[in-house]
C-alpha cells in the first residue's frame, strides 16, 4: 500500500455560514460544509487550523510590512484522541505517514502532496488549546476525505473515500 493522502475536510452542521468563510479565505477545494441535523453538544474533539506564511485574519507578528495574502499553506485538523499512541498506530496501519511524533503527546502526518495535515493530540490538551471544556457528545461534525477511507477510527471519527 502506498502513502495515504488526505484530500479534504468536511464539516457537518446545520449552519452554512462557515461555507462562506472558508470560501473567502481560499480553502474551498479542501474544506467543505455539508448539511447535518445530527445532534452534537460541547467540544467535539477537533480544532481546524489554517496556517498561512503571511498574516491574514490575525497575526502575532510585531511588524509586518508585506501585504496580506489570501494564501493558506496548510489546513490542519487537530484531533483530540483518547490514546495518541494507539491512534498513531491505527493511522500508520492505514498508510498515513508520520512527519513528527512526540510519544504520547503529539503526532503530525506527513502530507507532501496534500495541503491537509492531520495532527493528533490528547483530548484534554486539544480542548485546552481550543479554550473549551473537554466534554462533548454526539456527532463529531467533521469527516476526513482520503484515499485511505472509508473507515471509522478508534475515537469514532469518520473517514470517507
Amino acid at each position: 500500500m502506498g502513502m495515504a493522502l488526505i484530500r479534504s475536510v468536511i464539516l457537518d452542521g446545520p449552519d452554512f455560514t462557515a461555507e462562506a468563510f472558508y470560501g473567502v479565505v481560499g480553502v474551498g477545494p479542501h474544506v467543505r460544509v455539508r448539511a447535518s441535523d445530527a445532534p452534537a453538544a460541547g467540544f467535539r474533539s477537533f480544532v481546524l487550523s489554517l496556517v498561512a506564511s503571511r498574516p491574514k485574519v490575525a497575526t502575532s507578528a510585531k511588524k509586518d510590512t508585506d501585504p496580506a495574502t489570501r494564501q493558506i499553506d496548510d489546513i490542519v485538523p487537530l484531533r483530540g484522541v483518547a490514546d495518541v499512541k494507539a491512534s498513531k498506530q491505527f493511522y500508520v496501519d492505514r498508510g498515513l505517514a508520520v512527519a513528527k511524533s512526540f510519544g504520547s503527546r503529539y503526532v503530525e502526518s506527513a502530507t507532501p502532496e496534500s495541503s491537509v495535515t492531520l495532527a493528533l493530540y490528547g483530548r484534554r490538551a486539544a480542548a485546552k488549546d481550543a479554550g473549551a471544556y473537554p466534554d462533548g457528545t454526539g456527532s463529531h461534525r467533521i469527516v476526513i476525505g482520503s484515499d485511505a477511507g472509508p473507515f471509522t477510527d478508534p475515537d469514532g471519527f469518520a473517514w470517507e473515500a
Side-chain angles (χ1 to χ4, degrees):
M1 177 193 317
M3 183 170 61
L5 288 178
I6 300 172
R7 305 279 182 201
S8 63
V9 176
I10 304 155
L11 302 175
D12 285 344
D15 184 359
F16 283 100
T17 56
E19 187 171 34
F21 171 77
Y22 290 115
V24 167
V25 297
V27 296
H30 301 290
V31 180
R32 295 178 294 158
V33 179
R34 173 169 64 193
S36 173
D37 291 327
F43 181 60
R44 297 314 306 128
S45 299
F46 80 91
V47 176
L48 187 62
S49 299
L50 305 177
V51 182
S53 56
R54 296 263 173 247
K56 197 173 182 47
V57 177
T59 181
S60 60
K62 302 276 186 239
K63 291 183 179 179
D64 180 42
T65 56
D66 295 324
T69 68
R70 295 179 69 178
Q71 179 63 40
I72 298 293
D73 299 324
D74 295 299
I75 301 159
V76 184
L78 172 68
R79 293 259 330 284
V81 299
D83 184 330
V84 174
K85 283 184 179 181
S87 291
K88 172 187 169 185
Q89 190 58 53
F90 178 86
Y91 289 120
V92 166
D93 291 346
R94 276 149 191 82
L96 220 62
V98 174
K100 297 177 188 173
S101 180
F102 301 100
S104 61
R105 297 180 46 88
Y106 179 80
V107 174
E108 187 175 294
S109 68
T111 56
E113 296 179 33
S114 176
S115 296
V116 184
T117 302
L118 178 68
L120 305 175
Y121 217 15
R123 182 179 171 84
R124 289 195 177 283
K128 184 176 180 182
D129 240 29
Y133 293 104
D135 302 325
T137 59
S139 170
H140 283 292
R141 300 278 190 214
I142 188 170
V143 175
I144 305 293
S146 168
D147 57 7
F151 58 83
T152 300
D153 75 10
D155 294 282
F157 282 84
W159 286 59
E160 293 181 355

